[in-house]
Amino acid sequence: MEEGLQHNIEKIRRRIDTACKNSSRKPTDVKLLLATKTVSADRIKAAITAGCRLIAENKIQEVKEKFNDLQEVAHESHFIGHLQTNKVKELLKYNITCLHSLDRLELGEKLQHRLVLENKYLDVLIQVNTSGEVSKFGVPPDQAIMLVQKIACLDRLRIKGLMTIGLFSADAAKVRPCFQLLSQLKDQIAGLNITGVQMQELSMGMSSDLEVAIEEGATIVRVGTAVFGKRQYPDSFYWNESKGR
Ligand SMILES: *Cc1c(COP(=O)(O)O)cnc(C)c1O
């Protein structure tokens, strides 16, 4: 296997362990999810073989392209990208166990409809736009509780927690409030005891800010660059789709 990959994974595990120690949390309470956009199926397989069993894509097209190759190794797939309503049927073809990016009722309703037809259930996280940047998806924080209450009525969707992409900044002081906001929302929602709603997962933190996220309660950190190296496309290619909302 590519030596760099193994080394990068070990480095990330150490960063997670250290961040957990510093905040008196157990390393087993934080899952490492590999964000695999633009990465070839071969390299993803190598990372899975090296022990990273949880992976996620941003685009259905990439899920589809890599699906057959990845069947050779046991793993779990989540979806972390913006999902257009017309891609719901596609999403359900590929054994994706959790959608991190549910951010609007219309999408929830389409999913519910399709899940009923296929007699399936799906774990979901509600994506919250904690940075206020217009280029990022997610429900505005002040509408998150209402969205959770409405999605909770859709019995095929199992709400497991919240997700956010924080502010892009090397400055922890600027990113931290985004993660704190998500954590506060989680507590607030948990306190409402909404039937069928669990608030066990906080999906937040990426290559550059996973320490801050773990300190603020992340249970899933989503890492791409720090394991696979720099991507060829700017992230705006994945995060700035203005159509199809
Ligand atoms: C790409 C991506 C990540 C990982 O970002 P890195 O900075 O490469 O670690 C995390 N979350 C989402 C939603 C992404 O699209």
Side-chain angles (χ1 to χ4, degrees):
M1 172 178 33
E2 203 187 318
E3 230 175 82
L5 212 50
Q6 180 83 50
H7 173 80
N8 291 347
I9 291 169
E10 282 164 16
K11 219 163 124 183
I12 285 289
R13 296 254 186 238
R14 276 200 300 274
R15 282 178 62 190
I16 293 174
D17 286 355
T18 305
C20 285
K21 265 199 204 97
N22 290 342
S23 45
S24 309
R25 300 185 56 198
K26 285 184 289 186
T28 48
D29 290 346
V30 180
K31 292 187 270 289
L32 171 60
L33 175 152
L34 297 186
T36 53
K37 55 179 179 272
T38 76
V39 180
S40 71
D42 278 346
R43 296 188 77 213
I44 299 171
K45 270 195 285 188
I48 294 169
T49 308
C52 296
R53 304 209 162 256
L54 180 58
I55 62 170
E57 290 286 350
N58 288 65
K59 286 184 180 290
I60 296 292
Q61 185 58 33
E62 283 191 56
V63 175
K64 190 174 172 174
E65 283 165 12
K66 302 171 199 176
F67 183 75
N68 282 335
D69 280 344
L70 293 182
Q71 293 319 295
E72 294 163 23
V73 287
H75 65 281
E76 183 177 359
S77 286
H78 290 183
F79 192 81
I80 56 176
H82 176 67
L83 186 64
Q84 295 181 353
T85 314
N86 62 9
K87 295 279 166 65
V88 159
K89 200 169 151 184
E90 279 280 290
L91 178 86
L92 300 182
K93 287 184 189 167
Y94 301 106
N95 281 337
I96 285 161
T97 54
C98 182
L99 171 69
H100 287 223
S101 49
L102 183 48
D103 62 354
R104 58 202 194 279
L105 183 60
E106 187 206 8
L107 177 60
E109 287 171 344
K110 283 273 155 59
L111 282 163
Q112 167 77 14
H113 178 73
R114 216 37 242 181
L115 288 161
V116 169
L117 287 177
E118 299 189 15
N119 195 21
K120 288 180 183 167
Y121 293 84
L122 182 66
D123 288 352
V124 296
L125 307 181
I126 303 298
Q127 182 176 358
V128 182
N129 182 345
T130 54
S131 68
E133 289 174 285
V134 282
S135 62
K136 297 215 184 99
F137 295 111
V139 62
D142 62 351
Q143 292 168 33
I145 292 178
M146 205 166 64
L147 181 62
V148 168
Q149 284 167 330
K150 287 180 178 161
I151 300 286
C153 300
L154 306 172
D155 70 320
R156 298 279 158 166
L157 298 175
R158 297 171 166 155
I159 301 180
K160 298 290 180 187
L162 306 176
M163 178 272 221
T164 199
I165 299 173
L167 191 73
F168 273 111
S169 172
D171 184 356
K174 291 189 180 150
V175 191
R176 192 178 300 276
C178 299
F179 297 153
Q180 285 173 333
L181 178 57
L182 200 71
S183 179
Q184 284 159 10
L185 270 173
K186 175 191 168 222
D187 292 343
Q188 227 177 318
I189 293 167
L192 296 174
N193 285 317
I194 306 166
T195 308
V197 174
Q198 291 177 318
M199 278 289 132
Q200 67 216 28
E201 305 289 2
L202 270 187
S203 168
M204 58 188 195
M206 316 195 294
S207 294
S208 59
D209 53 21
L210 68 90
E211 283 84 1
V212 184
I214 289 172
E215 284 165 26
E216 298 303 335
T219 63
I220 304 175
V221 291
R222 309 178 308 264
V223 175
T225 314
V227 168
F228 296 111
K230 274 218 173 66
R231 288 177 292 271
Q232 205 173 335
Y233 298 101
D235 283 340
S236 56
F237 177 68
Y238 287 88
W239 293 347
N240 266 356
E241 299 169 75
S242 52
K243 295 271 158 52
R245 294 219 68 180

